[in-house]
Amino acid sequence: MLGKFQFNRRSVLLTWLLSYLAVLLLPVIMSVIVYSKSSETLENEINQANQSLLKQVREVMDNQFEAMERLNFEIMWNVEVRQFLYSDKYQMYPNEYLYDLHKITQDLLMYKTSYSLIDLFYIYLADNKTVLLPDVYRDAGFAYEILHKSSSLTYDRWVSTLNQKEAKGFIPMVRMNESGKERKTVAYISAYPTETDKPKATNVIMIDQSRILRAIDNIELFNKGHVLILNDANQVLVSNSEESERLVLDFPFEKEAGSPFFLWDKDGQHYEVTFIQSDRSKLKYLSIIPSTLFWEKAQKVRQLTYMSIFISLLGGSLLTYFFLRRNYIPVRQLVRVFSDKAVMPQNQGYNEFSFIQEAVDHTLVELSKMMSEQKKQHHILRSNFLGRLLKGKLDGQIPVDESLTAFNMRFETDAFAVILLYMREGAFHERIQQIGSADPQKLMHFIITNVIEELASQKHHGYVAEIDETLACLINFTDIAPDKRMEQLTEIAREAQTFLMSKYHIGLTLSLSGIHTGIAGISQAYAEALDAMEYKLVMGGKEILSYEEIHQSAAADNADTGYYYPLQVEQQLINYVKIGDFEMARRTLDEIIERNFKRTFMSVLIARCLMLNLVSTLIKTISELGDIQDSVLIRNPRRIEKRIEQLINSSTIEDMHMQMTEFLGKVCDYTANKRQQNIQQSRQRALDDRIQQVMDYIGRNYSDSSLNISMIGSHFDMKPAYLSKLFKDHTGEGLLDSINKARIEKAKQLIAADVNKNVSEIAVEVGFNDVNALIRTFKKYEGITPGKYKEMKEQ
């Protein structure tokens, strides 16, 4: 660099060099990150794809395994099977034993038709070593010969497996098909519970492994690897090759507790392992795929990364040299120009940009201070002058013409009017608070002042001043026809109101004075604008209030000094609130407001009297509600006082109307809810009485064998289905269960009273048609037969 600005460690040249180097290193770093993330993403995608394929296999397999469990459930809870295994009837009727065996085989034949995916199923009876097959039953030895005879599954091992007391789950097994060939199969065994050391019977349901492997044959990736299905004891149920079974012998099952994806090394071969648990059973699905199948694409990503790093380094170095040389020459020339004219101290080791910035900032700050002080003083003085002019308090020592010239103001004619602006809080305040402005009121005044003066200056002259926290605009009309002045004044007010609302969400109420002449008429116009603004209570917050229109209406309706609010209407409003009829209460309030304020004119005093009367009605209504004082609505006494204070201080009838409607709604909601609670309580008491009547009726008529739901419904003149549902919803117990329980309790009392009494006689006394019905019902609720219960009492 030339002159005193020599190259140093703070020079922009060094900063640029370091910046370009940082930019140059960015793509290199990004390439490394991309390579790292790409490798990680590729690995995740491989694992996710492998897991997705395994999930597809699981969905297909789970459906077949679920069918096996479903068939087992249906067989186990078959009525004929349960009665055969757990009933004592063969002690009394031994001749029915073979017939029942035949019936069970016929039921199994029906299940075989329904479950076509099941290859073989049977029931093994442990006590008499019999196997029940669809449509036939065989001796266990003969059944083993035709179904399972193989070197891998001996007869003793087969019997031992089926005689396990709590056997339940999937196990590997073999079976013989129709041609005598051995087939690997997945068997689901489930033992029937018993109190002895071995089960009464065991269900065996099998699906051939070949059927399951068809779901894997179409997946190319799994065909190159190993897919296995294991039970909770890590026994291989299904595998797609014999090599898979050998491979899994050394498998580290302890790793399953960690991530579902992990790498396994075996005999120098790397395998990608994925396993998932069945959502419906305890089965595990395991895939073991050689790693070489997955990482063919990783080499391409690595080569692309090396190439991008080399290109980035070469291109970045060339561009760094070119842009350093090109960009530094203009900066060096600009520093030379400022160094000749700057009045700031110049130190060694100066940064070129810092020097330029400080020189420019110093000049602009000084200029800004001068302009700010001048504008601030001018605005304050002009606002003070306009305020005194509007109030008629001018200083007689200073001529008006000189003051107008000093503040860059001029009056073309002697016709004046005043627009007074009242600002309502709304969306503008909310938006400014969100932005965080220090003084939203000052910002709003600034916007309104510029908009009003701009609209007025299109055809006339307008000057805005802040007086007593409100804004007043003095309008000086140009040389136009006198009958057009009021029309154009209204047009200025309407345009300002519309524009400020649409662009800035600033709501305004504007009052217009009459047209006056001369400087002395300005104060009179201001007074008229203040008088018109008082009528915003009656006219509403969004109106443009004209002093002339208001007083013309007042003169026309001068004879009407009252308002509509008769006693009967007041009483109606109170009654609607008491019964919680918010719709009618709101309609009555709307009618009162409409009949009073939709006419041509109402004075401010009369409007305030009506407001106080409505507030008084509201207070009387709350007092007559009584227990509403305990409600959440007005539990705090200060809350109701604050709400009434807000109603009285409403700036407009619309505001008061909205607040009263909201408060009416809350009071009516409370009273309506109170009435609804009383109705529900009455209904609940009636329902309790009716349920008790039904229970008493059962207690009186339990011995009647014809007592049933229809008889009870007829007695109480109710539909049986409805009465039964009502009884169960209320007590949680069915009506028929209640009848049977009453009879069983009475039977227990009779047995306890006389142990020698015949069970058949007791059955008749408690309302059962025959002794078998009593025995079944007694065992259902007591768990034992009446005879057992009688023996217990005898002991």
Side-chain angles (χ1 to χ4, degrees):
M1 191 175 195
L2 297 177
K4 61 183 72 176
F5 293 94
Q6 300 296 324
F7 181 83
N8 56 77
R9 62 185 180 86
R10 296 186 60 188
S11 173
V12 69
L13 186 61
L14 180 60
T15 303
W16 281 351
L17 179 60
L18 295 176
S19 300
Y20 288 148
L21 290 177
V23 174
L24 179 60
L25 291 176
L26 180 62
V28 177
I29 297 173
M30 289 301 297
S31 298
V32 175
I33 294 174
V34 167
Y35 172 72
S36 175
K37 293 297 182 181
S38 298
S39 299
E40 181 180 350
T41 302
L42 184 59
E43 181 179 357
N44 290 334
E45 288 181 353
I46 291 170
N47 290 328
Q48 293 295 335
N50 193 15
Q51 188 181 34
S52 298
L53 293 175
L54 200 57
K55 285 181 178 179
Q56 294 178 17
V57 175
R58 181 186 65 182
E59 288 298 320
V60 176
M61 294 304 99
D62 277 356
N63 290 334
Q64 298 191 19
F65 294 143
E66 185 178 6
M68 298 171 71
E69 293 177 338
R70 187 163 57 250
L71 175 58
N72 173 70
F73 178 81
E74 292 189 16
I75 295 175
M76 181 165 287
W77 290 100
N78 183 281
V79 176
E80 299 292 342
V81 175
R82 302 294 290 192
Q83 186 174 1
F84 178 81
L85 294 176
Y86 297 105
S87 175
D88 298 331
K89 77 173 187 175
Y90 302 116
Q91 297 177 2
M92 300 175 61
Y93 309 103
N95 294 331
E96 295 185 10
Y97 179 79
L98 295 178
Y99 175 71
D100 288 348
L101 277 181
H102 176 72
K103 287 173 62 178
I104 293 174
T105 59
Q106 295 305 307
D107 286 350
L108 295 181
L109 181 61
M110 180 183 64
Y111 291 142
K112 181 177 182 180
T113 305
S114 301
Y115 290 88
S116 58
L117 295 177
I118 306 299
D119 293 301
L120 178 64
F121 63 93
Y122 56 82
I123 303 174
Y124 172 76
L125 303 179
D127 291 338
N128 52 11
K129 295 186 177 181
T130 304
V131 174
L132 303 183
L133 293 159
D135 197 33
V136 67
Y137 58 89
R138 294 283 187 264
D139 176 77
F142 182 66
Y144 170 77
E145 291 290 333
I146 63 173
L147 296 178
H148 295 293
K149 184 177 181 181
S150 67
S151 58
S152 59
L153 181 62
T154 64
Y155 175 79
D156 292 336
R157 182 181 175 188
W158 175 66
V159 172
S160 174
T161 300
L162 300 185
N163 279 333
Q164 295 179 15
K165 181 179 180 181
E166 297 181 355
K168 186 172 184 179
F170 294 93
I171 62 171
M173 192 176 281
V174 296
R175 78 175 184 91
M176 308 301 293
N177 62 7
E178 291 79 359
S179 59
K181 292 183 179 180
E182 182 179 315
R183 284 184 175 272
K184 290 185 178 181
T185 184
V186 177
Y188 181 81
I189 63 172
S190 177
Y192 289 82
T194 182
E195 297 178 357
T196 61
D197 293 337
K198 64 178 181 178
K200 284 183 173 293
T202 303
N203 291 341
V204 180
I205 303 169
M206 291 178 284
I207 294 181
D208 289 349
Q209 188 180 116
S210 58
R211 184 188 298 273
I212 297 174
L213 291 176
R214 293 193 193 110
I216 308 174
D217 291 342
N218 296 327
I219 302 178
E220 181 181 356
L221 186 61
F222 287 167
N223 289 337
K224 299 178 182 178
H226 309 279
V227 179
L228 304 99
I229 303 176
L230 298 86
N231 61 12
D232 55 347
N234 294 326
Q235 292 179 307
V236 177
L237 300 177
V238 179
S239 65
N240 62 342
S241 65
E242 294 183 359
E243 182 184 353
S244 302
E245 297 185 21
R246 293 193 300 271
L247 188 66
V248 82
L249 293 176
D250 300 328
F251 186 78
F253 289 102
E254 66 277 2
K255 288 190 177 181
E256 294 181 1
S259 171
F261 313 107
F262 60 87
L263 184 64
W264 180 37
D265 295 332
K266 178 176 172 56
D267 300 331
Q269 179 71 31
H270 302 296
Y271 295 95
E272 299 289 332
V273 179
T274 304
F275 70 91
I276 57 176
Q277 186 83 29
S278 174
D279 295 333
R280 309 171 190 173
S281 62
K282 297 181 180 179
L283 299 182
K284 302 175 184 177
Y285 293 82
L286 187 68
S287 73
I288 306 175
I289 312 297
S291 299
T292 54
L293 298 177
F294 293 97
W295 296 107
E296 296 177 359
K297 296 181 180 180
Q299 187 62 30
K300 296 181 180 179
V301 175
R302 188 179 296 109
Q303 292 175 356
L304 182 61
T305 303
Y306 293 155
M307 185 178 299
S308 63
I309 293 175
F310 174 74
I311 294 174
S312 299
L313 289 173
L314 179 61
S317 301
L318 296 176
L319 291 175
T320 298
Y321 175 78
F322 173 75
F323 283 112
L324 274 177
R325 182 178 181 85
R326 178 179 179 182
N327 294 335
Y328 186 69
I329 294 176
V331 174
R332 182 177 59 185
Q333 295 174 350
L334 189 59
V335 169
R336 183 184 301 171
V337 172
F338 274 105
S339 62
D340 296 337
K341 300 181 180 180
V343 295
M344 302 184 320
Q346 302 174 3
N347 300 324
Q348 292 294 329
Y350 223 75
N351 178 274
E352 293 86 345
F353 280 150
S354 297
F355 172 77
I356 296 172
Q357 181 180 357
E358 290 183 10
V360 173
D361 287 347
H362 179 75
T363 303
L364 292 178
V365 166
E366 293 297 326
L367 182 61
S368 178
K369 287 181 180 179
M370 295 173 57
M371 297 296 294
S372 177
E373 287 296 323
Q374 183 178 359
K375 288 182 179 180
K376 184 177 180 181
Q377 295 299 327
H378 182 272
H379 177 75
I380 294 174
L381 292 174
R382 196 186 84 153
S383 181
N384 182 55
F385 168 72
L386 283 173
R388 289 186 287 107
L389 184 63
L390 290 170
K391 294 180 180 180
K393 297 180 181 180
L394 289 175
D395 189 356
Q397 297 180 356
I398 302 177
V400 175
D401 293 340
E402 292 184 8
S403 298
L404 293 175
T405 303
F407 297 118
N408 196 24
M409 299 169 58
R410 63 189 182 91
F411 295 152
E412 290 192 10
T413 64
D414 60 351
F416 299 95
V418 173
I419 301 177
L420 199 62
L421 301 98
Y422 173 80
M423 291 144 287
R424 304 187 306 274
E425 291 190 3
F428 177 81
H429 289 80
E430 296 176 0
R431 293 173 60 186
I432 294 302
Q433 288 175 359
Q434 293 175 359
I435 296 173
S437 176
D439 192 351
Q441 194 72 15
K442 185 175 181 180
L443 176 61
M444 185 168 63
H445 285 183
F446 174 78
I447 294 172
I448 295 173
T449 298
N450 283 274
V451 170
I452 291 291
E453 289 186 353
E454 181 67 25
L455 290 174
S457 64
Q458 292 179 359
K459 295 182 179 179
H460 309 283
H461 299 290
Y463 307 101
V464 178
E466 182 178 348
I467 305 176
D468 300 331
E469 297 184 356
T470 60
L471 295 178
C473 179
L474 175 63
I475 301 295
N476 176 236
F477 294 96
T478 54
D479 190 10
I480 62 170
D483 57 343
K484 297 289 185 180
R485 291 172 179 170
M486 198 64 203
E487 179 182 345
Q488 294 192 6
L489 181 65
T490 304
E491 182 180 350
I492 293 172
R494 185 175 294 108
E495 289 182 2
Q497 186 184 55
T498 303
F499 180 82
L500 289 170
M501 176 56 72
S502 62
K503 296 295 184 181
Y504 300 101
H505 301 282
I506 298 176
L508 293 178
T509 299
L510 299 95
S511 61
L512 311 180
S513 70
I515 310 299
H516 294 271
T517 57
I519 299 297
I522 294 177
S523 60
Q524 184 178 354
Y526 176 68
E528 290 180 357
L530 287 174
D531 191 13
M533 185 59 73
E534 287 290 324
Y535 282 86
K536 72 178 182 298
L537 173 68
V538 180
M539 306 301 291
K542 297 182 180 180
E543 294 292 331
I544 297 176
L545 309 174
S546 172
Y547 177 83
E548 293 183 354
E549 292 179 0
I550 290 173
H551 280 268
Q552 287 175 4
S553 300
D557 294 344
N558 192 35
D560 187 6
T561 58
Y563 57 81
Y564 171 78
Y565 190 37
L567 291 175
Q568 61 271 25
V569 174
E570 181 182 19
Q571 189 59 47
Q572 286 179 1
L573 181 60
I574 293 174
N575 292 335
Y576 290 144
V577 174
K578 285 181 179 180
I579 65 174
D581 191 345
F582 171 67
E583 186 62 30
M584 292 303 299
R586 183 181 61 79
R587 192 177 300 174
T588 302
L589 179 62
D590 293 347
E591 182 182 357
I592 295 169
I593 298 298
E594 182 176 3
R595 292 195 61 170
N596 284 284
F597 293 97
K598 293 301 181 181
R599 57 186 183 175
T600 309
F601 173 78
M602 175 181 277
S603 67
V604 175
L605 292 177
I606 296 298
R608 292 193 180 277
C609 286
L610 176 59
M611 288 175 60
L612 291 173
N613 203 347
L614 289 171
V615 173
S616 175
T617 300
L618 194 59
I619 296 173
K620 288 189 292 184
T621 304
I622 294 173
S623 299
E624 293 183 13
L625 286 176
D627 59 350
I628 197 173
Q629 296 294 336
D630 297 329
S631 71
V632 182
L633 182 66
I634 51 173
R635 189 172 294 166
N636 186 353
R638 179 56 187 157
R639 187 178 299 174
I640 184 62
E641 295 177 5
K642 185 175 181 181
R643 183 173 289 276
I644 293 174
E645 183 179 346
Q646 291 176 352
L647 287 170
I648 294 175
N649 294 330
S650 299
S651 59
T652 66
I653 288 296
E654 293 177 354
D655 186 21
M656 186 205 70
H657 188 188
M658 180 183 66
Q659 291 190 39
M660 288 194 68
T661 302
E662 178 187 355
F663 191 54
L664 275 176
K666 292 184 177 180
V667 177
C668 289
D669 286 344
Y670 174 79
T671 54
N673 291 335
K674 197 72 174 178
R675 289 184 62 206
Q676 190 64 29
Q677 290 176 5
N678 293 335
I679 293 172
Q680 291 178 356
Q681 291 174 358
S682 299
R683 289 178 179 173
Q684 187 63 33
R685 286 194 295 269
L687 179 59
D688 293 342
D689 293 342
R690 176 51 56 91
I691 297 301
Q692 187 59 45
Q693 292 172 8
V694 172
M695 296 178 71
D696 293 342
Y697 183 79
I698 294 172
R700 294 192 304 269
N701 297 277
Y702 68 89
S703 61
D704 188 350
S705 61
S706 61
L707 179 65
N708 55 24
I709 299 175
S710 299
M711 179 178 173
I712 298 174
S714 176
H715 176 77
F716 289 100
D717 195 20
M718 298 175 67
K719 291 183 178 180
Y722 174 72
L723 177 61
S724 177
K725 182 179 184 303
L726 195 67
F727 189 89
K728 185 167 186 179
D729 291 344
H730 189 76
T731 64
E733 182 179 61
L735 190 53
L736 186 58
D737 287 337
S738 184
I739 295 171
N740 288 332
K741 283 186 177 180
R743 288 172 171 170
I744 296 303
E745 287 298 322
K746 186 61 180 177
K748 288 166 61 179
Q749 294 174 12
L750 292 175
I751 294 172
D754 186 2
V755 294
N756 296 321
K757 202 165 190 177
N758 190 291
V759 176
S760 299
E761 295 175 0
I762 295 173
V764 175
E765 290 186 30
V766 298
F768 288 101
N769 289 324
D770 59 84
V771 67
N772 289 331
L774 172 61
I775 293 172
R776 286 195 306 271
T777 308
F778 197 98
K779 188 172 183 181
K780 175 182 177 182
Y781 293 105
E782 297 299 326
I784 59 176
T785 63
K788 291 287 186 181
Y789 184 78
K790 190 174 182 180
E791 292 175 3
M792 291 170 54
K793 290 300 180 180
E794 289 175 348
Q795 294 174 0

Short mmCIF file of all heavy atoms in Angstrom, two decimals, residues 84 189 202 232 234 240 242 299 365 382 389 401 433 493 518 522 590 658 722 778:
data_model
loop_
_atom_site.label_atom_id
_atom_site.label_comp_id
_atom_site.label_asym_id
_atom_site.label_seq_id
_atom_site.Cartn_x
_atom_site.Cartn_y
_atom_site.Cartn_z
N PHE A 84 -65.53 -83.47 27.04
CA PHE A 84 -64.89 -84.79 26.99
C PHE A 84 -63.76 -84.90 28.02
O PHE A 84 -63.58 -85.93 28.67
CB PHE A 84 -64.37 -85.04 25.58
CG PHE A 84 -63.65 -86.36 25.42
CD1 PHE A 84 -64.36 -87.54 25.24
CD2 PHE A 84 -62.27 -86.42 25.48
CE1 PHE A 84 -63.68 -88.74 25.10
CE2 PHE A 84 -61.59 -87.61 25.34
CZ PHE A 84 -62.31 -88.79 25.14
N ILE A 189 -47.64 -76.45 19.90
CA ILE A 189 -48.23 -77.37 20.87
C ILE A 189 -48.81 -76.57 22.02
O ILE A 189 -48.26 -75.52 22.41
CB ILE A 189 -47.20 -78.40 21.38
CG1 ILE A 189 -46.05 -77.68 22.13
CG2 ILE A 189 -46.66 -79.22 20.23
CD1 ILE A 189 -45.11 -78.65 22.82
N THR A 202 -53.00 -82.69 24.66
CA THR A 202 -52.14 -81.67 24.05
C THR A 202 -52.54 -81.51 22.60
O THR A 202 -52.68 -82.50 21.87
CB THR A 202 -50.67 -82.06 24.13
OG1 THR A 202 -50.32 -82.28 25.50
CG2 THR A 202 -49.79 -80.96 23.55
N ASP A 232 -38.67 -68.76 21.28
CA ASP A 232 -38.09 -68.03 22.41
C ASP A 232 -36.92 -68.78 23.04
O ASP A 232 -36.13 -68.19 23.79
CB ASP A 232 -39.18 -67.76 23.46
CG ASP A 232 -39.88 -69.04 23.91
OD1 ASP A 232 -39.70 -70.06 23.23
OD2 ASP A 232 -40.60 -68.99 24.92
N ASN A 234 -34.57 -70.03 21.22
CA ASN A 234 -33.57 -69.94 20.16
C ASN A 234 -33.43 -71.24 19.37
O ASN A 234 -32.36 -71.54 18.81
CB ASN A 234 -32.20 -69.52 20.71
CG ASN A 234 -32.22 -68.11 21.26
OD1 ASN A 234 -32.93 -67.25 20.72
ND2 ASN A 234 -31.48 -67.86 22.30
N ASN A 240 -33.74 -71.22 5.51
CA ASN A 240 -33.80 -71.39 4.06
C ASN A 240 -32.69 -72.28 3.51
O ASN A 240 -32.58 -72.46 2.30
CB ASN A 240 -33.75 -70.01 3.38
CG ASN A 240 -32.46 -69.27 3.69
OD1 ASN A 240 -31.76 -69.61 4.64
ND2 ASN A 240 -32.15 -68.26 2.90
N GLU A 242 -29.65 -75.66 4.89
CA GLU A 242 -28.99 -76.40 5.96
C GLU A 242 -27.77 -75.65 6.48
O GLU A 242 -27.41 -75.75 7.65
CB GLU A 242 -28.59 -77.79 5.46
CG GLU A 242 -29.78 -78.69 5.12
CD GLU A 242 -29.33 -80.07 4.69
OE1 GLU A 242 -28.11 -80.31 4.66
OE2 GLU A 242 -30.20 -80.92 4.40
N GLN A 299 -17.58 -47.81 -2.68
CA GLN A 299 -16.35 -47.46 -3.37
C GLN A 299 -16.57 -46.28 -4.31
O GLN A 299 -15.71 -45.39 -4.44
CB GLN A 299 -15.82 -48.68 -4.14
CG GLN A 299 -14.45 -48.48 -4.77
CD GLN A 299 -13.37 -48.21 -3.74
OE1 GLN A 299 -13.46 -48.69 -2.60
NE2 GLN A 299 -12.35 -47.44 -4.10
N VAL A 365 -22.90 11.53 11.66
CA VAL A 365 -23.40 11.76 13.01
C VAL A 365 -23.53 13.24 13.30
O VAL A 365 -24.54 13.72 13.85
CB VAL A 365 -22.48 11.08 14.05
CG1 VAL A 365 -22.79 11.57 15.45
CG2 VAL A 365 -22.67 9.57 13.99
N ARG A 382 -44.29 24.43 16.36
CA ARG A 382 -45.47 24.51 15.49
C ARG A 382 -46.70 23.90 16.17
O ARG A 382 -47.81 24.44 16.07
CB ARG A 382 -45.21 23.78 14.17
CG ARG A 382 -46.21 24.15 13.08
CD ARG A 382 -46.04 23.32 11.84
NE ARG A 382 -46.75 22.05 11.96
CZ ARG A 382 -47.24 21.35 10.93
NH1 ARG A 382 -47.06 21.81 9.71
NH2 ARG A 382 -47.86 20.23 11.13
N LEU A 389 -53.71 28.51 18.73
CA LEU A 389 -54.59 29.06 17.69
C LEU A 389 -55.99 28.42 17.78
O LEU A 389 -57.01 29.11 17.66
CB LEU A 389 -53.98 28.80 16.31
CG LEU A 389 -54.72 29.37 15.09
CD1 LEU A 389 -54.74 30.91 15.17
CD2 LEU A 389 -54.05 28.93 13.80
N ASP A 401 -49.30 36.45 10.89
CA ASP A 401 -48.62 36.24 9.60
C ASP A 401 -47.16 35.86 9.78
O ASP A 401 -46.63 34.99 9.06
CB ASP A 401 -48.73 37.51 8.75
CG ASP A 401 -50.17 37.79 8.33
OD1 ASP A 401 -50.98 36.81 8.37
OD2 ASP A 401 -50.49 38.93 7.99
N GLN A 433 -46.87 -3.87 19.91
CA GLN A 433 -46.33 -4.51 21.10
C GLN A 433 -45.55 -5.77 20.74
O GLN A 433 -44.54 -6.10 21.37
CB GLN A 433 -47.47 -4.86 22.05
CG GLN A 433 -48.07 -3.62 22.72
CD GLN A 433 -49.29 -3.96 23.57
OE1 GLN A 433 -49.70 -5.11 23.65
NE2 GLN A 433 -49.88 -2.95 24.19
N ALA A 493 -62.30 13.30 5.88
CA ALA A 493 -62.41 12.49 7.09
C ALA A 493 -62.65 11.02 6.75
O ALA A 493 -62.06 10.11 7.35
CB ALA A 493 -63.54 13.03 7.97
N GLY A 518 -62.47 33.71 9.37
CA GLY A 518 -61.59 34.52 10.18
C GLY A 518 -60.83 33.71 11.21
O GLY A 518 -61.18 32.59 11.55
N ILE A 522 -61.67 30.13 14.29
CA ILE A 522 -60.97 28.85 14.46
C ILE A 522 -61.28 28.25 15.82
O ILE A 522 -61.55 27.05 15.95
CB ILE A 522 -59.46 29.05 14.27
CG1 ILE A 522 -59.15 29.45 12.82
CG2 ILE A 522 -58.70 27.78 14.65
CD1 ILE A 522 -57.70 29.74 12.55
N ASP A 590 -80.95 -6.88 22.73
CA ASP A 590 -80.79 -6.31 21.38
C ASP A 590 -81.97 -5.43 21.00
O ASP A 590 -81.81 -4.38 20.37
CB ASP A 590 -80.65 -7.44 20.36
CG ASP A 590 -79.35 -8.22 20.55
OD1 ASP A 590 -78.48 -7.71 21.28
OD2 ASP A 590 -79.23 -9.31 19.97
N MET A 658 -71.76 -5.06 23.77
CA MET A 658 -70.94 -6.26 23.65
C MET A 658 -70.57 -6.82 25.03
O MET A 658 -70.67 -8.03 25.26
CB MET A 658 -69.66 -5.94 22.86
CG MET A 658 -68.73 -7.13 22.67
SD MET A 658 -67.22 -6.68 21.82
CE MET A 658 -66.47 -5.60 23.05
N TYR A 722 -84.85 -53.42 26.94
CA TYR A 722 -84.47 -52.13 27.53
C TYR A 722 -84.24 -52.26 29.03
O TYR A 722 -83.27 -51.73 29.58
CB TYR A 722 -85.56 -51.10 27.25
CG TYR A 722 -85.33 -49.77 27.92
CD1 TYR A 722 -84.32 -48.91 27.48
CD2 TYR A 722 -86.09 -49.38 29.02
CE1 TYR A 722 -84.09 -47.71 28.10
CE2 TYR A 722 -85.86 -48.18 29.65
CZ TYR A 722 -84.86 -47.34 29.18
OH TYR A 722 -84.63 -46.15 29.80
N PHE A 778 -75.28 -73.88 39.73
CA PHE A 778 -74.56 -73.87 41.01
C PHE A 778 -73.05 -73.94 40.77
O PHE A 778 -72.28 -73.20 41.39
CB PHE A 778 -75.04 -75.07 41.84
CG PHE A 778 -74.70 -74.94 43.31
CD1 PHE A 778 -75.65 -74.49 44.21
CD2 PHE A 778 -73.43 -75.25 43.80
CE1 PHE A 778 -75.35 -74.36 45.56
CE2 PHE A 778 -73.14 -75.12 45.13
CZ PHE A 778 -74.08 -74.67 46.03
#
